[in-house]
Amino acid sequence: MARKVSKNMAKVHAAVTKPSYALAEAVELLRQVKYAKFDETVDLTMRLGVDTRHADQMVRGTVVLPHGLGKTKTVAVIASGDRQKEATEAGADFVGGEEMVEKIQKEGWTAFDALIATPDMMKVVGRLARSWVPRA
């Protein structure tokens, strides 16, 4: 028994006329047949014509997307002295010393994705461990 095809999927099937498309043509077609209210996923299949039984023809790698994934990480650095200036120059979003540890401890401030501490500040950062480590 065949499954019922939705109206939107019927429109998509009607728009796809060829079994394969050039890349520019395929991207344009994807933009036309998009109907979901969220970011859709695209599967890309390529015929490379290699024989995977031969080691010199193995194809592996990674791709860096031109605009990334749209997500950015917020980094907080706990440092002292000249290290604070270095962290700011390196692109840290929040830089501080003991006052940042107190802010995290007293106010529960967690507006960052990653927290980095310099070795000389570890004795101060150790106070945060009690509040962040789950107790059994």
Side-chain angles (χ1 to χ4, degrees):
M1 184 170 179
R3 255 180 33 176
K4 182 180 180 228
V5 179
S6 68
K7 292 177 192 176
N8 289 330
M9 284 306 292
K11 290 177 188 176
V12 170
H13 288 300
V16 177
T17 56
K18 299 188 291 186
S20 64
Y21 289 90
L23 184 61
E25 214 177 349
V27 170
E28 187 59 37
L29 182 64
L30 281 170
R31 289 182 179 156
Q32 291 173 3
V33 298
K34 179 181 176 182
Y35 64 87
K37 294 179 184 175
F38 54 86
D39 291 336
E40 298 172 319
T41 302
V42 176
D43 289 330
L44 178 66
T45 304
M46 301 171 117
R47 187 173 305 228
L48 300 175
V50 297
D51 188 1
T52 56
R53 291 177 288 184
H54 300 287
D56 61 334
Q57 293 185 16
M58 293 297 279
V59 179
R60 289 193 180 133
T62 59
V63 175
V64 177
L65 299 174
H67 301 291
L69 294 175
K71 299 176 183 176
T72 56
K73 299 286 184 189
T74 306
V75 178
V77 177
I78 298 175
S80 62
D82 294 336
R83 299 275 179 113
Q84 288 185 349
K85 184 180 176 192
E86 290 176 27
T88 305
E89 290 172 357
D93 298 308
F94 302 105
V95 179
E98 291 187 34
E99 70 280 354
M100 186 178 286
V101 173
E102 290 175 16
K103 183 177 181 180
I104 294 169
Q105 202 170 22
K106 291 180 181 175
E107 298 174 20
W109 179 71
T110 57
F112 51 86
D113 297 313
L115 179 66
I116 301 171
T118 57
D120 59 326
M121 295 298 288
M122 288 305 289
K123 62 181 181 262
V124 179
V125 176
R127 291 185 281 179
L128 297 175
R130 287 188 211 102
S131 59
W132 284 355
V133 175
R135 300 200 174 145

